[in-house]
Amino acid sequence: MLSSLTIRDVVLIEALTLDFAPGLGVLTGETGAGKSILLDSLGLALGARSDAGLVRSGATQASVTASFEIGADHAARRLMTENDLESDDLLILRRQVKADGGSRGYINDQPVSATLLRDVGATLIEIHGQHDDRGLLNARGHRALLDAFGRLDVASVTAAYTGWREAETALATARETLEAGLRDREWLSHAVSELDALKPLPGEEAELAEARSSMMKGQRLAEDMSSVTQLLDGSDGGFAQLRQAARRLERLSGEHELLNEALVALDRTLTEAGEVEDKLAAAAEAMAYDPARLDSVEARLFELRGLARKHRVEPDALADLAAELGARAEAIGAGEERVEKLAVAVGKARAAFEAAAAALSTARAKAAVALDKAVAGELAPLKLDAARFRTVVEPLGEGQWSPSGADRVEFEISTNPGSPFAPLIKIASGGELSRFILALKVALAETKTAGTMIFDEIDRGVGGAVASAIGERLARLAQGTQVLVVTHSPQVAARGDHQWRIAKSSSGEVTRTDVRPLSDAERQEEIARMLSGATVTDEARAQAGKLLARSEA
């Protein structure tokens, strides 16, 4: 609901703040007083195109601030969240327009684009004027309005559509994976066989490289190793000589302490000599040069490294690669079975959507009949008794099916007997268009599309009983939502719960437009002016009182 509107330096408005309340609010005033300025100002706050011509002469910039009270589940809150903006129960839209034409928009003092300002504004207010091409005139919204009018179950269709599309996506992904696998099947089979035949082990490449290196070292050091062995081993070798010396010294060790100490030292030398023998033997074994063994190690190492290069992995990763490729090969068979199951699931999901959409189509056809009847009942009192209204529900091609079903919905009218039906937006007469919109709005009152609706001179060109019928329907509409109407009709004005008078005044060369709320007495005087013209008569005041009393009854 619109709670307040503040305007600064817009055309003839210098400074103005208006507070609004629920119900039917009417804005009246003489022709040319500046009602269009008020609506243009509100349009600015709602994201309409800015124009430097709106800035009051002599001012550097114009600004408009509109405040709205909204609920926690309001569509504007969702838009704010989607755009990472904070919001609460009070939503403040502000627009500034500079004299050079530049503009800036804000929502709750957070800078936003004019596009977002317009999108948020569209969820807050519907403005219906003589040349408005939005709201009910936009066929894109007719399907949702019919669904809301008939309280139709669109959610089940949306769920079925989502399930169908998700099943199709899963099937497409599985087919793509399977096709890729089938293209690689021959290569996979060869690769798996090759890896299985080689049976690579983690760490094997390093072990083979070390063994190969040792054997090649052994080949290179064989002659030196042999000469060392000859010096140490044999009956005349160093080890044998040390043992003989130890045996002879042992016989002499009792003769003197130093001889005993020398024996102890020689024993330690023999112990370490034994370790030398062991190390030499182990080294000889490790570096033993066996041409057949070396050829075998080199062949295995060559195969490991060659296969690793082929698959562009490290040799140690070949074992994991074998497992991975084996799993992929097995998955091809499982993928064929999965594709078959998913294809069946897609068929079932599609059938479920088609059934739900068909049921919704039937319900829409019934709701369309009810809506046509409801609108028809509103036409005659609004001097549209020659007109006909119909709700067209037609099937869409499969390519146009959506979460909302498989139907196209559009409101059409025929304004004269025998004339063909046409979209609402093609109505030639602005007055007829406004009254048609009102008839539709009354019929669709339960849908509550926006918290505030504004009708701009909906009563133009009519009077008497038709104006009374318009006022009565606006009042009914205002029982469920806030309605503001710019009117020249006393019958409509008398129906208002609140009334403001728009007036223009001049002081020297300065002209200003002002808007002020009216008391009950002032309302009667204003309605009397609307009835009688420039000179307000007692008869007009009495008639105004009757209109107000009748409206309150």
Side-chain angles (χ1 to χ4, degrees), residues 25-29 35 455-460 470 474 485-494 499 526 529-530:
V26 295
L27 295 101
T28 60
K35 294 183 288 293
F455 291 88
D456 182 15
E457 299 187 3
I458 191 174
D459 48 16
R460 176 178 291 184
I470 291 173
L474 288 169
V485 58
V486 177
T487 180
H488 290 285
S489 169
Q491 291 91 342
V492 173
Q499 186 169 346
E526 172 66 5
R529 180 198 64 76
M530 297 169 72

Side-chain angles (χ1 to χ4, degrees), residues 136 142-143 145-150 364-379 389-393 409-411 439-445 447:
L136 289 175
H142 292 177
R143 184 169 57 193
L145 288 170
L146 177 64
D147 292 341
F149 172 80
R364 280 175 175 156
K366 293 180 180 179
V369 172
L371 178 58
D372 293 351
K373 183 177 180 180
V375 174
E378 300 292 336
L379 296 181
F389 172 87
R390 73 179 183 184
T391 303
V392 176
V393 181
V409 176
E410 185 171 4
F411 302 148
L440 258 173
K441 273 298 177 185
V442 172
L444 295 167
T447 62

Side-chain angles (χ1 to χ4, degrees), residues 132-189:
D132 182 33
D133 61 355
R134 298 164 296 169
L136 289 175
L137 302 188
N138 190 337
R140 287 182 297 179
H142 292 177
R143 184 169 57 193
L145 288 170
L146 177 64
D147 292 341
F149 172 80
R151 294 182 174 84
L152 305 184
D153 179 19
V154 184
S156 61
V157 175
T158 301
Y161 181 87
T162 301
W164 173 32
R165 292 309 185 193
E166 287 178 349
E168 284 193 324
T169 299
L171 176 59
T173 301
R175 279 177 172 163
E176 183 178 344
T177 302
L178 177 61
E179 287 171 4
L182 291 174
R183 287 195 300 270
D184 295 339
R185 172 178 274 177
E186 183 176 349
W187 176 84
L188 274 173
S189 177

Side-chain angles (χ1 to χ4, degrees), residues 181-201:
L182 291 174
R183 287 195 300 270
D184 295 339
R185 172 178 274 177
E186 183 176 349
W187 176 84
L188 274 173
S189 177
H190 173 73
V192 170
S193 298
E194 197 173 37
L195 286 164
D196 284 348
L198 187 62
K199 292 183 174 55
L201 299 173

Side-chain angles (χ1 to χ4, degrees), residues 39 42-43 46 125-129 132-135 437 452-456:
L39 293 181
L42 179 58
L46 298 173
I125 286 185
E126 290 181 7
I127 300 178
H128 301 289
D132 182 33
D133 61 355
R134 298 164 296 169
I437 288 173
T452 300
M453 285 186 284
I454 297 178
F455 291 88
D456 182 15

Side-chain angles (χ1 to χ4, degrees), residues 285-297:
E285 182 178 355
M287 293 188 294
Y289 172 61
D290 180 350
R293 167 69 177 155
L294 180 59
D295 288 345
S296 173
V297 168

